[in-house]
């Protein structure tokens, strides 16, 4: 396998794009050898759903699109990033705050930690940001 594999999709900042992003990531990961029925595949689908939802809901129409980037480095580490052009970075809500939404980053942090990964936020050249999760690549041995 190549030292690095990459896949990217740019979607409109529309609620229907969340499921399109999830399907895209699931398809790419399957092509890269990750079985669809594993816990890590479920975790990655949930992470991309949360990140895409944030890119749609929290950019307040100021980011017409968002981009999902996947990178598999040396079959060791998976990078998943969602980029939008809105300058506001995600904020951690205090645990005491009672809301019906706003827990996406908490979920992402917990999943990343549980899977042995890490989360990051970095600025883009156009003033937006990329929220990313890096996880160990754990493809089960094939029978």
């Amino acid at each position: 396998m190549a030292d690095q594999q990459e896949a990217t999709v740019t979607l409109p900042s529309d609620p229907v794009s969340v499921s399109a992003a999830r399907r895209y990531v699931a398809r790419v990961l399957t092509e890269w050898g990750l079985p669809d029925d594993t816990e890590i595949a479920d975790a990655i689908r949930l992470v991309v759903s949360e990140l895409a939802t944030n890119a749609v809901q929290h950019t307040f129409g100021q980011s017409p699109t968002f981009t999902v980037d996947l990178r598999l480095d040396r079959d060791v580490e998976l990078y998943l990033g969602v980029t939008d052009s809105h300058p506001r970075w995600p904020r951690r809500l205090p645990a005491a705050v009672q809301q019906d939404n706003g827990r996406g980053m908490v979920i992402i942090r917990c999943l990343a930690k549980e899977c042995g990964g890490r989360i990051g936020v970095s600025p883009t050249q156009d003033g937006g940001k990329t929220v990313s999760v890096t996880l160990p690549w754990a493809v089960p041995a094939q029978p």
Side-chain angles (χ1 to χ4, degrees):
M1 191 169 277
D3 280 350
Q4 184 168 297
Q5 296 185 74
E6 296 181 358
T8 300
V9 66
T10 299
L11 299 164
S13 289
D14 185 277
V16 298
S17 294
V18 174
S19 60
R22 187 175 50 250
R23 286 190 307 272
Y24 175 79
V25 167
R27 186 178 73 248
V28 169
L29 295 178
T30 299
E31 290 170 6
W32 290 352
L34 183 65
D36 195 47
D37 60 350
T38 60
E39 285 185 29
I40 189 70
D42 290 341
I44 294 168
R45 284 191 297 270
L46 181 52
V47 166
V48 75
S49 290
E50 292 295 337
L51 291 177
T53 297
N54 285 352
V56 170
Q57 288 185 346
H58 299 296
T59 59
F60 307 104
Q62 295 180 19
S63 182
T65 62
F66 67 93
T67 300
V68 178
D69 291 301
L70 291 164
R71 186 175 62 242
L72 178 58
D73 291 322
R74 302 182 191 279
D75 286 342
V76 172
E77 188 172 71
L78 176 70
Y79 168 90
L80 165 65
V82 175
T83 303
D84 64 60
S85 58
H86 193 277
R88 185 173 137 209
W89 286 29
R91 292 178 289 167
R92 182 182 300 199
L93 293 177
V97 173
Q98 299 294 317
Q99 285 185 211
D100 291 337
N101 61 11
R103 298 285 181 239
M105 292 304 294
V106 172
I107 292 168
I108 293 166
R109 276 188 186 82
C110 289
L111 286 171
K113 183 177 180 180
E114 183 177 295
C115 295
R118 61 191 181 278
I119 187 170
V121 182
S122 56
T124 61
Q125 291 183 350
D126 69 353
K129 81 267 184 201
T130 299
V131 182
S132 62
V133 174
T134 305
L135 303 168
W137 183 245
V139 175
Q142 299 298 318

